[in-house]
Structure formats: structure tokens, C-alpha cells
Amino acid sequence: MKDLLKTAYDAMDERLAEDITIIDFRGQSPFLDYFIIGTARNYRMAKSIIDNVEDKVLEEGYNVKKCYSDEGSKWLLADLGSIVCHVFYDGEREVYNLEGLWKDLPTVKM
């Protein structure tokens, strides 16, 4: 699990996702272990981040369930099964405030 987490985190960081936060859901959800949340400056950058996550995860031999990156959406994500990578831009991160919603859960430092 840690290898997939690091691969996804590094892929987001490599494409300059800002303020990357990892929320640890282990023991709290039967569906997932981590959220990785990052911010992009615009759609093009957000799409590049999500595409890079997909590419790097597949290169390492892991599965990608689905990527949601429709143009016009300000919240893009890559569903890796046990990990979901979220990329927001244009103020959407503050609107949905996932960190605030899950503030009681631990975060992971990379």
C-alpha cells in the first residue's frame, strides 16, 4: 500500500500540485485507505496532474479504476481503489473543504 501511496503522491508532486495533503482513512472506511488532495492553478495543470498519476500508477503495475477529468469540472480525481487522488482548481478546494470535513482523521507526511 505504501508503494502505491508514494507513487501517486510523487506523480502529483512531479506535476507541481500545490499544498498536497494525505488523509488516512484506514480503520475508518471499508472502501478506501487514503485521500490525496492537491491544488492546481487551472484545468490544464489539473488534467496534467491526473494524467500523470494514471500513467505512473500503471507503469508501476497497479490498477486505475477510473479517472474523472471532464473539461469544465474544477474537481478532478483518479480512483485507484484504496486511494483516491483529488485535484482542485479555481477555489473549489475551499468550497468542498475535504480537509475540514475529515479533520478528525490523521494525515500522512511524505
Side-chain angles (χ1 to χ4, degrees):
M1 175 56 56
K2 289 289 187 183
D3 290 337
L4 176 58
L5 182 64
K6 181 159 177 34
T7 298
Y9 175 90
D10 288 348
M12 290 177 69
D13 188 49
E14 184 177 281
R15 294 292 183 193
L16 306 178
E18 299 171 356
D19 193 23
I20 301 172
T21 301
I22 302 171
I23 300 174
D24 186 344
F25 280 87
R26 291 175 301 167
Q28 301 296 316
S29 170
F31 305 109
L32 71 127
D33 292 328
Y34 300 98
F35 272 179
I36 307 176
I37 305 166
T39 302
R41 294 186 183 140
N42 53 49
Y43 172 77
R44 187 171 164 178
M45 184 178 187
K47 175 84 165 102
S48 175
I49 294 166
I50 290 297
D51 288 348
N52 198 48
V53 168
E54 182 177 25
D55 292 345
K56 297 296 182 178
V57 164
L58 291 172
E59 281 175 20
E60 292 296 319
Y62 298 105
N63 293 320
V64 176
K65 290 189 175 265
K66 180 79 173 159
C67 287
Y68 301 91
S69 57
D70 297 333
E71 193 166 352
S73 176
K74 296 177 183 177
W75 180 359
L76 288 65
L77 67 85
D79 181 349
L80 311 178
S82 59
I83 297 171
V84 179
C85 300
H86 303 265
V87 180
F88 295 94
Y89 73 96
D90 200 23
E92 289 298 290
R93 186 171 181 168
E94 291 76 24
V95 171
Y96 289 97
N97 191 21
L98 296 180
E99 292 97 332
L101 183 63
W102 302 107
K103 68 181 179 245
D104 294 337
L105 296 181
T107 58
V108 176
K109 301 291 182 205
M110 291 299 257

